[in-house]
Amino acid sequence: MPRPKSDSKFRAFMQENLLTMLTVIGVFAGGLVGFIIKNSTGDWTKREIMYISFPGEIFLRMLKCLIVPLLVSSITSAIGGLDLSMSSKIATRAIAYYFITTISAVVLGICLVTSIRPGQGAKIVEKRMESVDKASKVLTPDTLMDLIRNMFTDNIIQSTMFQYRTEIYENTSVSPPLPMEEWDFKPAQREGSNVLGLVMFSVILGTTIGRMREKGQLLQDFFTTLSEAMMTITSWVIWISPLGVGFLIAAKIIEMDSIAATIQSLGWYFITVMLGLFLHGFGTIAVIFFLGTRRLPYRFIAKLSQVLATAFGTGSSSATMPLTIKCLDGMGIDPRVTRFVIPVGATINMDGTALYEAVAALFIAQYREMSYSFGTIVAVSITATAASIGAAGIPQAGLVTMVMVLDTVGLEPKDVSLIIAVDWLLDRFRTTINVMCDALGTILVNHLSKKDLQKVDRLNEDPHELMELGANGHDKE
């Protein structure tokens, strides 16, 4: 007896969306379990919390393991498979999209924070935190120059493990103490992949392979095969995502201080940032996407549910990158576009971070009752944009770049501690927006580049096949 059509449709739907539903369930289950444990038991030690987060930590380590080989192979193979003019067109469209969305996010954040004014009347219990003190010992010129230094790495192998950083230190033998601008400095290496340097190297290598044509085909095949191998491993790892994100979120909630006290002291700040992220993600980006494709993005956002849930759980756009590429491949996006736009976007396109840093700087200025001019607001806009580009795609990476934005307003770096209580949660929401913006940008760039890519494909066809196409009239646009 044949099965009803409704039954077969349901089975097909479940097979297609099972992993997405499990990941979303994992997010909510992790949050619920975290709240129940926190409210029903006493304080947990750091070691006990570490035990809770251990499965999530393993999942995160597996994803991070894929970042460097996937990033280098994806960008190199994508650019190497296109000619220079086609690569430059895709790059120009992607960068234009990143620039427009980032500026829009900053302007929206500033409009909201100046309208709502969440810093007025806020009552915050100020704490001294070691991570904030460490982040405070940086200067804005050093941060900007380190960003450029990391782009032009002097050791590609070292860039897979470390980032360049200028460290400043006070000469305690001098009296009276010198201002920070006159402190001694030295080059140092900070643990973590120099993604910006790897992206730059991969772009140059891919361009070179493309110009070498037949001579570079062997290298092109190597990087294409490596990229496909990494995506195969990704398809295995993603089945752990429901478990991983659930444990990560549960551990973070247990680690929190009093939730009620945090909401009471930073409630309006939290609402302002969340409102900004929501309006940008489902308003501004949706409008830009519609203008470019004449289609609303919400159907695509629904298909990205598993990617967005993973981004929220891990708090890292870089770690989510393999899943984003895998998901877009399944949506039929050209792999040459996906493998170029997504790694670059995960590195330099941080809309949520830019909005958050602009709001945070002006929120702290309002809390300190510091007046600021229109010129200061413009300076915050520019600095927040630059800082978001320099922020690493890892959890709470905006802490260091936030110091740079505060310096623009004339605030003390230690004021970062005022907002640190809710930073971990807002970090997950802004990472989700960052990832969504990257994915929608890839779909938009793919749409705008479709005709150009078809021309490249036709030029790469066998001449005999081209003659047949011409004879049949199929080569006309």
Side-chain angles (χ1 to χ4, degrees):
M1 183 177 177
R3 288 175 180 168
K5 282 188 177 180
S6 58
D7 185 47
S8 59
K9 284 183 179 180
F10 177 75
R11 285 175 175 272
F13 175 81
M14 289 299 294
Q15 287 177 352
E16 186 178 346
N17 298 283
L18 178 61
L19 183 59
T20 300
M21 289 188 290
L22 289 175
T23 306
V24 173
I25 290 170
V27 171
F28 285 103
L32 182 62
V33 170
F35 277 113
I36 292 172
I37 292 175
K38 184 172 183 64
N39 293 324
S40 61
T41 60
D43 293 336
W44 285 54
T45 65
K46 287 186 177 181
R47 175 164 289 277
E48 289 171 335
I49 295 172
M50 182 264 287
Y51 292 149
I52 293 287
S53 65
F54 181 71
E57 181 190 346
I58 297 302
F59 169 65
L60 202 53
R61 289 171 71 91
M62 293 169 73
L63 282 180
K64 287 181 177 180
C65 177
L66 298 172
I67 293 173
V68 171
L70 179 61
L71 183 143
V72 174
S73 62
S74 295
I75 296 179
T76 305
S77 61
I79 295 179
L82 300 167
D83 57 36
L84 187 59
S85 62
M86 188 66 247
S87 297
S88 61
K89 283 181 181 179
I90 292 175
T92 301
R93 287 163 182 157
I95 292 170
Y97 170 81
Y98 296 153
F99 180 77
I100 292 169
T101 55
T102 303
I103 292 294
S104 301
V106 172
V107 171
L108 175 62
I110 288 174
C111 290
L112 287 174
V113 75
T114 52
S115 302
I116 300 173
R117 303 191 70 81
Q120 287 188 342
K123 296 178 180 179
I124 307 172
V125 179
E126 299 186 28
K127 296 181 180 180
R128 182 173 178 177
M129 306 188 75
E130 186 179 342
S131 59
V132 173
D133 291 340
K134 190 175 181 181
S136 300
K137 293 182 174 61
V138 294
L139 293 172
T140 300
D142 290 338
T143 305
L144 293 174
M145 287 190 292
D146 286 348
L147 177 64
I148 299 171
R149 288 188 183 106
N150 280 314
M151 286 177 65
F152 301 96
T153 177
D154 60 346
N155 189 326
I156 191 63
I157 303 300
Q158 190 179 55
S159 292
T160 62
M161 297 175 283
F162 298 101
Q163 301 174 26
Y164 182 94
R165 182 186 180 186
T166 302
E167 285 188 354
I168 60 174
Y169 55 95
E170 187 177 8
N171 188 347
T172 54
S173 62
V174 178
S175 183
L178 297 171
M180 283 182 65
E181 288 77 9
E182 297 181 28
W183 285 14
D184 291 331
F185 60 91
K186 63 180 180 181
Q189 298 294 334
R190 181 174 58 192
E191 190 174 345
S193 300
N194 175 13
V195 178
L196 208 54
L198 294 173
V199 166
M200 182 65 72
F201 175 80
S202 302
V203 168
I204 295 170
L205 180 59
T207 304
T208 305
I209 292 173
R211 291 178 68 90
M212 290 174 69
R213 299 185 182 277
E214 290 81 9
K215 290 183 179 179
Q217 191 59 45
L218 189 63
L219 263 179
Q220 175 66 14
D221 291 342
F222 167 76
F223 283 111
T224 301
T225 306
L226 179 60
S227 176
E228 291 174 358
M230 291 301 104
M231 292 314 301
T232 301
I233 297 174
T234 300
S235 66
W236 300 340
V237 173
I238 58 176
W239 283 99
I240 312 172
S241 58
L243 193 68
V245 297
F247 278 99
L248 285 172
I249 291 173
K252 270 296 179 184
I253 290 176
I254 295 169
E255 190 180 2
M256 275 185 70
D257 291 332
S258 172
I259 299 171
T262 301
I263 293 174
Q264 187 178 0
S265 62
L266 290 166
W268 280 109
Y269 165 71
F270 184 85
I271 290 170
T272 304
V273 176
M274 287 298 299
L275 180 62
L277 293 175
F278 180 83
L279 290 176
H280 180 68
F282 295 94
T284 308
I285 295 177
V287 170
I288 294 170
F289 187 89
F290 178 79
L291 292 175
T293 64
R294 294 294 184 269
R295 301 171 73 182
L296 290 172
Y298 305 114
R299 183 170 63 86
F300 298 105
I301 294 173
K303 291 183 177 180
L304 291 166
S305 300
Q306 192 228 335
V307 173
L308 300 181
T310 305
F312 182 84
T314 61
S316 171
S317 53
S318 293
T320 313
M321 184 180 67
L323 277 72
T324 311
I325 294 176
K326 182 74 177 174
C327 182
L328 290 173
D329 284 350
M331 291 164 63
I333 307 302
D334 194 303
R336 291 168 294 185
V337 177
T338 304
R339 281 156 176 72
F340 174 61
V341 178
I342 287 296
V344 174
T347 307
I348 67 171
N349 185 41
M350 304 284 181
D351 290 2
T353 304
L355 184 147
Y356 150 80
E357 294 192 344
V359 171
L362 296 181
F363 164 78
I364 294 172
Q366 292 169 3
Y367 175 75
R368 294 296 187 197
E369 298 182 350
M370 176 184 289
S371 59
Y372 46 86
S373 63
F374 178 76
T376 304
I377 293 175
V378 172
V380 167
S381 304
I382 296 170
T383 313
T385 303
S388 68
I389 295 172
I394 57 175
Q396 293 183 294
L399 188 62
V400 174
T401 52
M402 187 70 234
V403 172
M404 187 170 79
V405 183
L406 291 179
D407 185 52
T408 305
V409 191
L411 291 163
E412 291 289 329
K414 65 182 181 181
D415 283 343
V416 174
S417 61
L418 296 173
I419 58 172
I420 203 75
V422 293
D423 184 69
W424 76 270
L425 185 56
L426 289 176
D427 179 54
R428 276 159 166 72
F429 283 107
R430 63 181 185 253
T431 298
T432 305
I433 294 298
N434 291 342
V435 171
M436 188 177 82
C437 182
D438 292 344
L440 293 178
T442 305
I443 298 169
L444 174 60
V445 172
N446 181 76
H447 176 82
L448 298 176
S449 307
K450 192 168 288 185
K451 289 185 178 180
D452 295 322
L453 290 166
Q454 288 173 350
K455 286 181 182 178
V456 171
D457 291 337
R458 286 203 296 269
L459 289 172
N460 290 334
E461 291 280 352
D462 186 90
H464 178 68
E465 292 177 4
L466 283 176
M467 289 176 65
E468 288 183 352
L469 282 171
N472 294 325
H474 292 160
D475 59 339
K476 295 177 182 179
E477 293 185 14

